[in-house]
Amino acid sequence: MTEPAALSRRMLMRGAIGAATVAGAATAPVPALAQRGRKVDLPDDPAGMAASLTDAVYINSNEHPVGPCPAALAALAKLPPLSGRYGMAFAGKLESLFARQNGLSPTQVQVHPGSFMPLRSVALSYSSADRPIAYFEPTFDQGFLGLDNASITRSVAVPLSGDFAADPRTLLAAAPDAGVYYLCNPNNPTGLTTSRADIDWLLANKPKGSILLVDEAYIHFSDAQSCLDLVARQADLLVTRTFSKIYGLAGLRCGLIAGRKDLLDGMARYGTNITPMPAVLAAEASLLDPTLLPTRKAENKAVRDDLFAWLDARGLRYLPSQASFAMIHVGRPGAAVTAALAQAGIFIGGPRKHMDDWVRVSFGSPAEMQAFKAAFLKVMA
């Protein structure tokens, strides 16, 4: 069978195009949504379409290299008869399913279009200029950017330790009065995990009335213990999840936040973002697939182990990530290495704050990683 042309990330971001394409892809092989594909340069005329398409490898945004699982694609194929309806009730069905699978009450789960807005809503709801939001850097802090304003809230960003570990004791010492303590576990971009013992310590020692916010976007790739059981115990804690990573639904935008009902209700003043019906249906089908998580975790581990062995053989330093990406030390400006790889059609994540001579590389398919290795050797030489 001939493999169809893959879609670029930018095309998936374009709502109308993305929705139509995903529905059509439901009858095509799963690799149709892989990142090994086409880069589209937007034309000067916004009403036109780009005429120039060039092959490229996108291992820059921690997307899954395959995309939606077959069950999700099958669910999307059934959408046309429902496309004229809003479908808000489907979100409640997804919340109940996730709650049932994780020992929670449906009132402890809220579905959102991705996990970005819940992260931002927590910061707005539970931190302030007097009680800031505290987190390590580098981490996934985009949801908090732009909020550091005397009339909104204040942030306390603490650099990771010398071995890039996230020590909650350091965080609490730097911000003993915070309203929100944020941990990304595994952390993005390091891929390193924070032990459950350290999370329990922070929960037990944080100031009264504060919230612990744990971002578990990459939890399924790792062996780290989830904090959802703490939600079930009514702790002062909120957990975010996304379907953009191991479930491969990045372009559809679906995520959720779990926590005590009163904490979720406290976010309501910042509005409710209605999640698109296609995203909810695809997420539900993904949760119902019993093979998805173990299969994709094993596939990711195989690619990760192969890359680490390759780096070891060449004496190159990296962080022992448990996620779907890794930071690699290049010993020169990471931005220059990123730009050089882009010239070769290999797009990676690049350096991060306090890690200027590192680059972040997402794990793609074996073929994509072979292309990265060949280009990386040339750039490093």
Side-chain angles (χ1 to χ4, degrees):
M1 182 179 290
T2 302
E3 182 173 306
L7 300 172
S8 74
R9 294 181 60 248
R10 192 175 299 178
M11 287 184 71
L12 284 173
M13 287 297 196
R14 295 170 64 88
I17 297 175
T21 308
V22 170
T27 58
V30 173
L33 294 178
Q35 281 296 342
R36 174 70 174 164
R38 301 286 181 181
K39 175 176 179 289
V40 178
D41 295 318
L42 296 179
D44 293 333
D45 176 9
M49 288 297 291
S52 161
L53 300 178
T54 56
D55 286 331
V57 169
Y58 293 92
I59 47 175
N60 57 338
S61 294
N62 303 339
E63 298 141 322
H64 196 274
V66 172
C69 68
L73 293 176
L76 290 167
K78 300 175 183 177
L79 271 175
L82 297 172
S83 296
R85 305 292 182 181
Y86 286 115
M88 276 86 80
F90 286 91
K93 191 178 175 190
L94 179 61
E95 290 165 353
S96 294
L97 173 61
F98 182 87
R100 186 166 67 251
Q101 290 181 337
N102 292 280
L104 303 175
S105 162
T107 62
Q108 294 176 306
V109 182
Q110 276 187 2
V111 168
H112 288 261
S115 58
F116 177 90
M117 285 311 297
L119 292 173
R120 195 170 183 84
S121 294
V122 171
L124 289 167
S125 301
Y126 297 112
S127 69
S128 65
D130 294 327
R131 303 199 69 185
I133 179 167
Y135 53 85
F136 292 101
E137 59 180 13
T139 194
F140 184 75
D141 58 357
Q142 282 89 331
F144 316 133
L145 299 181
L147 300 181
D148 204 340
N149 182 297
S151 64
I152 303 175
T153 188
R154 178 169 57 92
S155 62
V156 176
V158 180
L160 292 168
S161 66
D163 58 358
F164 301 104
D167 181 2
R169 291 162 181 79
T170 303
L171 191 65
L172 184 60
D177 58 346
V180 177
Y181 295 91
Y182 169 69
L183 292 173
C184 185
N185 194 36
N187 187 37
N188 177 14
T190 64
L192 304 182
T193 60
T194 302
S195 73
R196 177 57 181 269
D198 280 343
I199 293 174
D200 288 341
W201 182 91
L202 182 57
L203 194 58
N205 289 276
K206 67 175 185 57
K208 184 178 180 180
S210 64
I211 300 299
L212 178 56
L213 174 61
V214 181
D215 182 352
E216 294 188 344
Y218 303 96
I219 193 77
H220 295 114
F221 293 108
S222 75
D223 295 324
Q225 182 181 353
S226 170
C227 288
L228 288 176
D229 65 303
L230 296 174
V231 172
R233 295 182 215 169
Q234 306 292 321
D236 294 334
L237 173 137
L238 291 161
V239 176
T240 56
R241 289 281 185 89
T242 180
F243 289 90
S244 296
K245 307 307 175 184
I246 202 166
Y247 293 103
L249 304 181
L252 288 175
R253 310 305 301 132
C254 188
L256 56 84
I257 184 166
R260 283 202 323 260
K261 185 178 183 301
D262 63 295
L263 297 180
L264 298 180
D265 289 347
M267 298 161 53
R269 59 184 175 276
Y270 293 102
T272 299
N273 292 281
I274 298 173
T275 306
M277 187 202 310
V280 174
L281 292 181
E284 179 187 24
S286 299
L287 288 182
L288 291 172
D289 182 349
T291 67
L292 188 153
L293 291 179
T295 299
R296 292 191 169 187
K297 180 180 180 180
E299 291 170 347
N300 182 78
K301 184 179 185 301
V303 170
R304 183 174 66 209
D305 290 349
D306 175 77
L307 177 64
F308 289 174
W310 184 84
L311 293 169
D312 285 336
R314 286 152 184 81
L316 293 168
R317 184 186 175 197
Y318 58 89
L319 295 184
S321 168
Q322 285 197 43
S324 58
F325 51 85
M327 293 296 290
I328 301 174
H329 187 244
V330 292
R332 65 187 74 172
V337 173
T338 303
L341 285 170
Q343 289 295 313
I346 309 293
F347 294 88
I348 65 171
R352 292 297 188 271
K353 194 168 185 180
H354 307 304
M355 302 182 77
D356 293 337
D357 55 350
W358 296 70
V359 296
R360 193 195 69 183
V361 178
S362 303
F363 302 148
S365 67
E368 289 173 328
M369 300 313 291
Q370 285 301 114
F372 161 75
K373 291 174 188 176
F376 187 65
L377 282 182
K378 291 179 181 179
V379 169
M380 292 299 289

